[in-house]
C-alpha cells in the first residue's frame, strides 16, 4: 500500500454534522424559530391584517428581522472561517421556510396569486430535494447558493416585506391615494422579478449539478 493510499484512507471524512453548533448555524436555527412566531401572528392577523392590525405589523417586523439574519450568519461563517456542510444545507432551508411560508399564507388570504406561489414552491422544493440527492451520492457535496439564487432571495424578501407591511391602513378609509397604488405596483413588480430570478437560478443549479460535471 503506497503512502498516498494510506493518506486517503486515514483522512477523516467530512460529516454533515461537523460544526453543527457553530455560531453561524445557531443564528440559522434562531431564524427557523422566528419563522414559527411570524407565521402564527400572520395567520391570526387575517387577510391584510384586518382581524388584528397590530399582529400584522408585528408579523411583518418579525419577517424582516428573520430575513436579515440570513446576511448575519453568512457574514459570520465567512469572517470566522466557520463554513460548514450543515450551514450550507440549513441556511437555504431556513430561507425557504420563511419565504415559502409567507407566500402560502399570502396566497391563502388572496394577497398574492397562487400561480406565483406554486411556481416558487416547485422550484424551491425541487432544488431542496436535489441538494439531498447530491449529498447522498458518493463524494457528494452540498451545493452552496449561487449568485442568481442569492439575488432572488433579496428581491423575494424585499417584495414580501413590502406586501406584509399593512400600509393600506394609512389611507384613513378614504379613496386610494396615488402613493398607495404606486407602492403596491412596485411591491408586486419586485415579487415578479424575484420569480424570474427564482426560475433562472433553478435552471443554473440543475445545469451545474447534472450537465457541467460531465463536460469536465
Amino acid at each position: 500500500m503506497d503512502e498516498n493510499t494510506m493518506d486517503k484512507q486515514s483522512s477523516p471524512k467530512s460529516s454533515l454534522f461537523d460544526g453543527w453548533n457553530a455560531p453561524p448555524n445557531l443564528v440559522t436555527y434562531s431564524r427557523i424559530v422566528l419563522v414559527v412566531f411570524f407565521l402564527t401572528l400572520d395567520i391570526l392577523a387575517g387577510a391584510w391584517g384586518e382581524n388584528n392590525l397590530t399582529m400584522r405589523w408585528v408579523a411583518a417586523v418579525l419577517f424582516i428581522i428573520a430575513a436579515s439574519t440570513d446576511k448575519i450568519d453568512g457574514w459570520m461563517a465567512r469572517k470566522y472561517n466557520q463554513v460548514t456542510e450543515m450551514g450550507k444545507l440549513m441556511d437555504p432551508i431556513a430561507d425557504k421556510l420563511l419565504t415559502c411560508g409567507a407566500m402560502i399564507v399570502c396566497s391563502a388570504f388572496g394577497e398574492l396569486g397562487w400561480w406565483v406561489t406554486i411556481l416558487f414552491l416547485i422550484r424551491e422544493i425541487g432544488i431542496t430535494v436535489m441538494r439531498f440527492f447530491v449529498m447522498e451520492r458518493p463524494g457528494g457535496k452540498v451545493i452552496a447558493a449561487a449568485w442568481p439564487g442569492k439575488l432572488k432571495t433579496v428581491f423575494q424578501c424585499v417584495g414580501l416585506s413590502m406586501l406584509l407591511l399593512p400600509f393600506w391602513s394609512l389611507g384613513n378609509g378614504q379613496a386610494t391615494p396615488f402613493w398607495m397604488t404606486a407602492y403596491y405596483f412596485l411591491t408586486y413588480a419586485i415579487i415578479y422579478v424575484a420569480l424570474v430570478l427564482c426560475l433562472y437560478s433553478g435552471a443554473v443549479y440543475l445545469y451545474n449539478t447534472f450537465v457541467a460535471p460531465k463536460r469536465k
Side-chain angles (χ1 to χ4, degrees):
M1 182 180 296
D2 59 29
E3 185 177 348
N4 291 334
T5 304
M6 291 178 61
D7 289 340
K8 290 180 181 178
Q9 290 185 352
S10 60
S11 59
K13 183 180 179 180
S14 178
S15 170
L16 175 65
F17 296 99
D18 289 345
W20 68 270
N21 59 345
N25 292 343
L26 297 179
V27 174
T28 302
Y29 305 149
S30 68
R31 184 157 76 255
I32 295 176
V33 174
L34 281 177
V35 171
V36 176
F37 285 103
F38 152 68
L39 289 176
T40 301
L41 291 175
D42 191 26
I43 293 171
L44 292 176
W48 301 105
E50 292 182 347
N51 291 347
N52 192 310
L53 194 58
T54 301
M55 280 188 179
R56 179 65 176 236
W57 279 107
V58 175
V61 171
L62 285 179
F63 178 88
I64 294 171
I65 293 174
S68 300
T69 61
D70 177 42
K71 299 302 178 184
I72 296 175
D73 55 13
W75 173 81
M76 289 175 63
R78 290 186 296 271
K79 181 176 178 61
Y80 298 106
N81 194 26
Q82 294 179 324
V83 178
T84 63
E85 293 297 298
M86 177 65 78
K88 289 187 207 176
L89 179 65
M90 292 304 298
D91 182 62
I93 288 179
D95 291 339
K96 289 171 177 56
L97 288 174
L98 176 65
T99 55
C100 291
M103 296 184 79
I104 290 172
V105 174
C106 286
S107 293
F109 285 157
E111 302 170 10
L112 183 65
W114 271 111
W115 68 272
V116 177
T117 298
I118 290 172
L119 286 176
F120 266 106
L121 289 176
I122 291 174
R123 184 274 189 192
E124 302 290 27
I125 294 174
I127 294 301
T128 301
V129 171
M130 188 191 75
R131 284 173 180 269
F132 282 108
F133 172 76
V134 171
M135 203 173 54
E136 290 298 321
R137 294 189 304 184
K141 292 278 188 180
V142 176
I143 304 172
W147 73 263
K150 294 178 180 179
L151 192 58
K152 175 269 302 181
T153 301
V154 172
F155 274 86
Q156 190 177 16
C157 289
V158 171
L160 287 175
S161 297
M162 294 174 67
L163 184 61
L164 288 166
L165 289 167
F167 281 130
W168 62 266
S169 62
L170 303 180
N172 297 322
Q174 302 174 356
T176 304
F178 173 78
W179 70 264
M180 191 178 296
T181 300
Y183 175 85
Y184 283 104
F185 176 84
L186 179 61
T187 297
Y188 288 108
I190 291 174
I191 292 175
Y192 296 150
V193 170
L195 177 60
V196 172
L197 288 168
C198 175
L199 299 176
Y200 172 72
S201 62
V204 170
Y205 279 128
L206 292 174
Y207 177 85
N208 290 340
T209 302
F210 300 108
V211 179
K214 296 179 180 180
R215 294 190 171 185
K216 294 181 179 180

